[in-house]
PDB file of all heavy atoms in Angstrom:
ATOM      1  N   ILE C  20      95.588  92.930 108.044  1.00 80.00           N
ATOM      2  CA  ILE C  20      95.052  93.642 109.042  1.00 80.00           C
ATOM      3  C   ILE C  20      96.189  94.003 109.979  1.00 80.00           C
ATOM      4  O   ILE C  20      96.759  93.149 110.699  1.00 80.00           O
ATOM      5  CB  ILE C  20      93.855  92.995 109.833  1.00 80.00           C
ATOM      6  CG1 ILE C  20      92.744  92.735 108.926  1.00 80.00           C
ATOM      7  CG2 ILE C  20      93.450  93.993 111.011  1.00 80.00           C
ATOM      8  CD1 ILE C  20      91.620  92.051 109.640  1.00 80.00           C
ATOM      9  N   ASP C  21      96.580  95.303 110.158  1.00 81.00           N
ATOM     10  CA  ASP C  21      97.637  95.619 111.000  1.00 81.00           C
ATOM     11  C   ASP C  21      97.108  96.712 111.907  1.00 81.00           C
ATOM     12  O   ASP C  21      97.151  97.930 111.671  1.00 81.00           O
ATOM     13  CB  ASP C  21      98.799  96.184 110.222  1.00 81.00           C
ATOM     14  CG  ASP C  21      99.987  96.381 111.105  1.00 81.00           C
ATOM     15  OD1 ASP C  21      99.995  96.467 112.355  1.00 81.00           O
ATOM     16  OD2 ASP C  21     101.193  96.491 110.549  1.00 81.00           O
ATOM     17  N   ALA C  22      96.686  96.239 113.147  1.00 79.00           N
ATOM     18  CA  ALA C  22      95.895  97.183 113.984  1.00 79.00           C
ATOM     19  C   ALA C  22      97.018  98.162 114.573  1.00 79.00           C
ATOM     20  O   ALA C  22      96.604  99.360 114.985  1.00 79.00           O
ATOM     21  CB  ALA C  22      95.298  96.318 115.087  1.00 79.00           C
ATOM     22  N   ASP C  23      98.304  97.846 114.649  1.00 84.00           N
ATOM     23  CA  ASP C  23      99.282  98.690 115.204  1.00 84.00           C
ATOM     24  C   ASP C  23      99.439  99.935 114.317  1.00 84.00           C
ATOM     25  O   ASP C  23      99.686 100.997 114.787  1.00 84.00           O
ATOM     26  CB  ASP C  23     100.596  97.967 115.193  1.00 84.00           C
ATOM     27  CG  ASP C  23     100.559  96.816 116.365  1.00 84.00           C
ATOM     28  OD1 ASP C  23      99.814  96.971 117.407  1.00 84.00           O
ATOM     29  OD2 ASP C  23     101.374  95.943 116.303  1.00 84.00           O
ATOM     30  N   THR C  24      99.370  99.787 113.036  1.00 86.00           N
ATOM     31  CA  THR C  24      99.514 100.955 112.014  1.00 86.00           C
ATOM     32  C   THR C  24      98.339 101.344 111.577  1.00 86.00           C
ATOM     33  O   THR C  24      98.131 102.369 110.938  1.00 86.00           O
ATOM     34  CB  THR C  24     100.442 100.550 110.832  1.00 86.00           C
ATOM     35  OG1 THR C  24      99.735  99.369 110.200  1.00 86.00           O
ATOM     36  CG2 THR C  24     101.734  99.961 111.195  1.00 86.00           C
ATOM     37  N   GLY C  25      97.158 100.695 111.876  1.00 84.00           N
ATOM     38  CA  GLY C  25      95.806 101.150 111.499  1.00 84.00           C
ATOM     39  C   GLY C  25      95.558 100.948 109.923  1.00 84.00           C
ATOM     40  O   GLY C  25      94.776 101.674 109.367  1.00 84.00           O
ATOM     41  N   ILE C  26      96.160  99.981 109.382  1.00 88.00           N
ATOM     42  CA  ILE C  26      96.008  99.577 107.918  1.00 88.00           C
ATOM     43  C   ILE C  26      95.237  98.325 107.737  1.00 88.00           C
ATOM     44  O   ILE C  26      95.701  97.352 108.314  1.00 88.00           O
ATOM     45  CB  ILE C  26      97.288  99.736 107.191  1.00 88.00           C
ATOM     46  CG1 ILE C  26      97.910 101.104 107.220  1.00 88.00           C
ATOM     47  CG2 ILE C  26      97.192  99.201 105.794  1.00 88.00           C
ATOM     48  CD1 ILE C  26      99.284 101.284 106.734  1.00 88.00           C
ATOM     49  N   VAL C  27      94.396  98.333 106.811  1.00 85.00           N
ATOM     50  CA  VAL C  27      93.620  97.130 106.384  1.00 85.00           C
ATOM     51  C   VAL C  27      93.742  97.191 104.868  1.00 85.00           C
ATOM     52  O   VAL C  27      93.497  98.201 104.253  1.00 85.00           O
ATOM     53  CB  VAL C  27      92.108  97.181 106.769  1.00 85.00           C
ATOM     54  CG1 VAL C  27      91.358  95.980 106.246  1.00 85.00           C
ATOM     55  CG2 VAL C  27      92.075  97.244 108.262  1.00 85.00           C
ATOM     56  N   GLU C  28      94.122  96.000 104.289  1.00 88.00           N
ATOM     57  CA  GLU C  28      94.148  95.883 102.891  1.00 88.00           C
ATOM     58  C   GLU C  28      93.347  94.630 102.482  1.00 88.00           C
ATOM     59  O   GLU C  28      93.386  93.682 103.177  1.00 88.00           O
ATOM     60  CB  GLU C  28      95.579  95.695 102.352  1.00 88.00           C
ATOM     61  CG  GLU C  28      96.405  96.926 102.638  1.00 88.00           C
ATOM     62  CD  GLU C  28      97.878  96.669 102.098  1.00 88.00           C
ATOM     63  OE1 GLU C  28      98.084  95.916 101.137  1.00 88.00           O
ATOM     64  OE2 GLU C  28      98.812  97.353 102.640  1.00 88.00           O
ATOM     65  N   ALA C  29      92.518  94.739 101.347  1.00 88.00           N
ATOM     66  CA  ALA C  29      91.825  93.749 100.880  1.00 88.00           C
ATOM     67  C   ALA C  29      91.713  93.691  99.366  1.00 88.00           C
ATOM     68  O   ALA C  29      91.951  94.691  98.762  1.00 88.00           O
ATOM     69  CB  ALA C  29      90.360  93.806 101.580  1.00 88.00           C
ATOM     70  N   THR C  30      91.129  92.628  98.867  1.00 87.00           N
ATOM     71  CA  THR C  30      90.685  92.604  97.461  1.00 87.00           C
ATOM     72  C   THR C  30      89.310  92.307  97.386  1.00 87.00           C
ATOM     73  O   THR C  30      88.724  91.573  98.238  1.00 87.00           O
ATOM     74  CB  THR C  30      91.499  91.589  96.553  1.00 87.00           C
ATOM     75  OG1 THR C  30      91.321  90.378  97.134  1.00 87.00           O
ATOM     76  CG2 THR C  30      93.026  91.990  96.530  1.00 87.00           C
ATOM     77  N   ASP C  31      88.597  92.845  96.376  1.00 86.00           N
ATOM     78  CA  ASP C  31      87.173  92.436  96.151  1.00 86.00           C
ATOM     79  C   ASP C  31      87.009  92.244  94.755  1.00 86.00           C
ATOM     80  O   ASP C  31      87.808  92.599  93.890  1.00 86.00           O
ATOM     81  CB  ASP C  31      86.375  93.683  96.569  1.00 86.00           C
ATOM     82  CG  ASP C  31      84.822  93.216  96.841  1.00 86.00           C
ATOM     83  OD1 ASP C  31      84.500  92.031  96.687  1.00 86.00           O
ATOM     84  OD2 ASP C  31      84.046  94.062  97.053  1.00 86.00           O
ATOM     85  N   THR C  32      85.993  91.386  94.423  1.00 81.00           N
ATOM     86  CA  THR C  32      85.812  91.040  92.963  1.00 81.00           C
ATOM     87  C   THR C  32      84.452  91.640  92.530  1.00 81.00           C
ATOM     88  O   THR C  32      83.445  91.571  93.259  1.00 81.00           O
ATOM     89  CB  THR C  32      85.755  89.593  92.867  1.00 81.00           C
ATOM     90  OG1 THR C  32      86.990  89.057  93.477  1.00 81.00           O
ATOM     91  CG2 THR C  32      85.578  89.155  91.348  1.00 81.00           C
ATOM     92  N   THR C  33      84.495  92.335  91.313  1.00 78.00           N
ATOM     93  CA  THR C  33      83.248  92.848  90.838  1.00 78.00           C
ATOM     94  C   THR C  33      82.296  91.754  90.427  1.00 78.00           C
ATOM     95  O   THR C  33      82.727  90.719  89.869  1.00 78.00           O
ATOM     96  CB  THR C  33      83.527  93.840  89.634  1.00 78.00           C
ATOM     97  OG1 THR C  33      84.086  93.040  88.610  1.00 78.00           O
ATOM     98  CG2 THR C  33      84.426  94.987  90.022  1.00 78.00           C
TER      99      THR C  33
END
Side-chain angles (χ1 to χ4, degrees):
I20 296 178
D21 189 339
D23 293 332
T24 61
I26 295 176
V27 176
E28 296 181 27
T30 59
D31 199 6
T32 305
T33 60

